[in-house]
């Protein structure tokens, strides 16, 4: 890879929370750990070499985070620094003695730019004073060289990160501090900004002048998530049509790329097949209809951005024999259906699939139209329409259990045939 591409790869790994060092284009143990950690998150073999599918996934996840944060190039004249700033998060500003402060409306995460002339304090002296512990400040990490230094720790119990660079006439950099609600974001943001912040006086001449990293597309999220489950051998799986609609590439983490072989927008069902079939478990589809009040277990990958693509489980009952506006092919459940659950299986007390998660109630519509909401109202496609849709496929002849099993046992069964689906789009 070129030096530029190596730096970009490290920047993407920072944005997905896997790389905690400044992007310097130098590959070493920290980069290798970040790569293998990202592969582990995806369910891939941790080799340190990303497949083309994994590279696409990394790009899409990083671009999504870049867009969510509202990253924009900001030239801070008071702080004498040019930087990529998360303007959607740090939307408030105020002047400080040495630069500018950028913070969220609750002031729970705060970044301050710093420009300190050498006439006031030398670069080396500033490092010594900022890296010395006292009653208010505990230091957890520090590193220093002739061009920059980093100090991290806790100030009155709150995490902080300080990055300073040695400019011709001043020490220039920033400090960022956050409370517990930003624990996952604060450290990532600090390292990303340290990788893409430079003294303003360098930006007119220096090849290191800050710019939007090539390959990021901050205007539109370029990835979406759903759930699916295997229904036949040779990598055949089911999901919703709306999960795979308009996808330019589909990835099943842990299994690789997949292609759509059958889809129906009216039913909102789709059949996919792995491009490179792996061995896998297969779901048992129940043939008899649902029963009002029977127990339901949902399994899927909701809210992937926030839950780190973890398998999640919900329990409830069949609360209605039809779906939205009396849709006969659906049933209603009080299991919470969230974004990312779509296409996932709902199981009965025997571990059989009795439905495909498809939608949740539109709470904003309900609030505006009738003045209330309906929490934990979700909808699923019944297995009758699903079996009709799958009639052209050779489904395995499986014998369902005749005895009810614990929820944990159902989840362990479903874990082996339930997968996440990552849909990549390339629209600008």
């Amino acid at each position: 890879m070129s030096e530029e591409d190596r730096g970009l790869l490290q920047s993407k790994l920072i944005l997905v929370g896997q790389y905690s060092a400044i992007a310097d284009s130098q590959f070493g143990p920290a980069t290798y750990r970040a790569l293998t950690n990202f592969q582990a998150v995806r369910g891939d073999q941790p080799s340190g070499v990303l497949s083309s599918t994994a590279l696409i996934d990394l790009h899409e996840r990083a671009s999504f985070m870049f867009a969510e944060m509202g990253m924009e190039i900001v030239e801070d004249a008071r702080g004498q620094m040019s930087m990529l700033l998360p303007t959607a998060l740090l939307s408030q500003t105020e002047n400080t003695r040495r630069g500018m402060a950028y913070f969220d409306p609750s002031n729970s995460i705060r970044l301050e730019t710093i420009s300190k002339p050498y006439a006031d304090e030398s670069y080396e002296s500033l490092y010594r004073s900022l890296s010395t512990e006292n009653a208010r400040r505990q230091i957890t990490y520090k590193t220093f060289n002739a061009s920059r230094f980093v100090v991290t720790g806790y100030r009155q119990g709150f995490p902080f990160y300080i990055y300073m660079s040695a400019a011709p006439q001043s020490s220039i950099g920033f400090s960022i501090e956050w409370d517990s609600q930003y624990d996952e974001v604060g450290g990532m943001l600090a390292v990303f900004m340290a990788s893409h912040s430079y003294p303003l006086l360098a930006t007119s001449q220096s090849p290191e002048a800050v710019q939007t990293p090539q390959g990021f597309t901050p205007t539109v999220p370029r990835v979406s998530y759903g759930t699916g489950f295997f229904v036949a051998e040779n990598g055949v799986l089911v999901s919703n049509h709306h999960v795979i609609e308009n996808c330019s590439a589909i990835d099943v983490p842990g299994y690789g790329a997949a292609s759509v072989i059958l889809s129906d927008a009216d039913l909102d069902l789709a059949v996919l097949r792995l491009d490179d079939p792996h061995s896998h478990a297969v779901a048992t589809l129940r043939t008899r209809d649902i029963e009002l009040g029977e127990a339901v277990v949902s399994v899927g990958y909701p809210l992937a951005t926030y839950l780190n693509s973890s398998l999640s489980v919900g329990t409830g009952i069949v609360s209605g024999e039809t779906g939205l506006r009396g849709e006969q092919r659906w049933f209603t459940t009080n299991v919470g259906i969230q974004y990312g659950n779509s296409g996932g299986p709902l199981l009965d007390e025997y571990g059989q699939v009795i439905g495909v998660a498809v939608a949740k109630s539109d709470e904003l519509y309900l609030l505006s139209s009738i003045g209330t909401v309906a929490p934990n109202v979700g909808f699923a496609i019944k297995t009758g329409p699903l079996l009709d849709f799958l009639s052209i496929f050779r489904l395995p002849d499986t014998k369902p259990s005749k005895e009810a099993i614990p929820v944990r046992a159902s989840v362990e069964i479903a874990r082996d045939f339930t997968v996440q689906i990552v849909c990549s789009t390339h629209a600008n």
Side-chain angles (χ1 to χ4, degrees):
M1 298 177 72
S2 68
E3 183 174 353
E4 181 181 359
D5 286 342
R6 293 199 302 270
L8 178 60
L9 178 63
Q10 289 173 327
S11 292
K12 291 176 180 179
L13 289 166
I14 292 170
L15 284 171
V16 299
Q18 298 300 338
Y19 189 60
S20 58
I22 295 173
D24 60 3
S25 301
Q26 304 302 308
F27 279 10
T31 306
Y32 177 78
R33 284 194 299 271
L35 291 165
T36 53
N37 287 343
F38 179 69
Q39 289 176 311
V41 167
R42 283 174 41 83
D44 296 341
Q45 184 68 28
S47 65
V49 180
L50 299 186
S51 66
S52 58
T53 302
L55 283 169
I56 292 172
D57 187 17
L58 174 61
H59 169 78
E60 303 299 351
R61 294 188 193 208
S63 293
F64 180 81
M65 185 61 70
F66 193 91
E68 284 277 285
M69 291 279 186
M71 291 291 185
E72 293 183 13
I73 298 172
V74 172
E75 294 192 349
D76 182 337
R78 288 181 59 84
Q80 286 295 297
M81 194 167 72
S82 183
M83 55 190 170
L84 273 171
L85 186 75
T87 58
L89 177 62
L90 306 181
S91 57
Q92 312 295 307
T93 63
E94 65 182 18
N95 293 343
T96 64
R97 182 186 174 197
R98 298 289 185 183
M100 289 286 294
Y102 304 85
F103 49 96
D104 73 324
S106 64
N107 205 20
S108 297
I109 180 167
R110 182 182 179 93
L111 180 141
E112 295 188 9
T113 56
I114 304 167
S115 176
K116 192 162 191 178
Y118 297 142
D120 293 347
E121 186 173 15
S122 71
Y123 173 71
E124 293 81 1
S125 174
L126 181 62
Y127 169 71
R128 286 194 297 271
S129 62
L130 292 176
S131 62
T132 300
E133 291 192 337
N134 55 39
R136 300 176 59 194
R137 183 170 58 212
Q138 175 190 357
I139 305 302
T140 57
Y141 174 81
K142 56 185 178 180
T143 182
F144 174 91
N145 61 38
S147 60
R148 66 189 182 195
F149 68 77
V150 172
V151 178
T152 70
Y154 293 86
R155 184 168 25 234
Q156 294 183 309
F158 294 100
F160 72 85
Y161 183 107
I162 299 172
Y163 171 83
M164 300 297 298
S165 60
Q169 297 179 349
S170 306
S171 300
I172 293 175
F174 66 85
S175 68
I176 183 170
E177 186 173 303
W178 60 93
D179 67 18
S180 58
Q181 69 174 297
Y182 287 109
D183 277 345
E184 292 187 8
V185 173
M188 177 276 287
L189 182 59
V191 176
F192 185 79
M193 289 194 61
S195 301
H196 298 285
S197 301
Y198 305 96
L200 257 182
L201 54 90
T203 60
S204 61
Q205 309 167 13
S206 171
E208 294 185 328
V210 65
Q211 55 184 307
T212 300
Q214 295 295 316
F216 288 111
T217 52
T219 54
V220 194
R222 294 166 55 93
V223 65
S224 58
Y225 301 91
T227 303
F229 57 98
F230 291 111
V231 294
E233 297 177 353
N234 298 317
V236 177
L237 62 147
V238 161
S239 188
N240 291 140
H241 168 83
H242 75 260
V243 169
I244 54 82
E245 188 176 16
N246 299 322
C247 297
S248 55
I250 298 172
D251 181 53
V252 180
Y255 292 90
S259 301
V260 179
I261 57 176
L262 182 65
S263 187
D264 188 311
D266 179 56
L267 283 172
D268 204 355
L269 288 172
V271 178
L272 295 76
R273 177 178 283 128
L274 298 176
D275 292 352
D276 182 19
H278 294 59
S279 60
H280 55 76
V282 174
T284 299
L285 307 183
R286 193 171 92 178
T287 55
R288 62 185 176 87
D289 203 0
I290 50 92
E291 297 178 12
L292 194 62
E294 70 172 301
V296 172
V297 178
S298 71
V299 183
Y301 293 87
L303 306 174
T305 304
Y306 301 98
L307 299 182
N308 201 28
S309 297
S310 299
L311 187 70
S312 293
V313 176
T315 59
I317 61 170
V318 173
S319 54
E321 296 176 306
T322 61
L324 187 65
R325 299 184 181 91
E327 170 59 66
Q328 296 292 321
R329 295 171 296 185
W330 294 9
F331 66 86
T332 304
T333 175
N334 64 351
V335 177
I337 303 295
Q338 302 293 340
Y339 169 75
N341 269 123
S342 294
L346 276 73
L347 313 176
D348 65 8
E349 60 183 342
Y350 303 99
Q352 304 171 96
V353 173
I354 62 169
V356 182
V358 66
K360 63 175 292 185
S361 61
D362 187 336
E363 294 183 357
L364 289 179
Y365 172 78
L366 290 174
L367 189 62
S368 63
S369 60
I370 62 175
T372 188
V373 296
N376 293 336
V377 173
F379 306 102
I381 303 169
K382 298 175 181 177
T383 50
L386 174 62
L387 287 166
D388 290 341
F389 183 63
L390 296 173
S391 60
I392 64 172
F393 297 93
R394 188 172 183 178
L395 301 182
D397 183 16
T398 55
K399 294 183 179 181
S401 171
K402 294 182 179 180
E403 296 184 2
I405 58 178
V407 170
R408 284 184 297 176
S410 292
V411 172
E412 286 306 307
I413 293 171
R415 183 192 296 274
D416 293 334
F417 60 68
T418 305
V419 295
Q420 186 179 42
I421 294 176
V422 181
C423 167
S424 301
T425 59
H426 297 293
N428 292 316

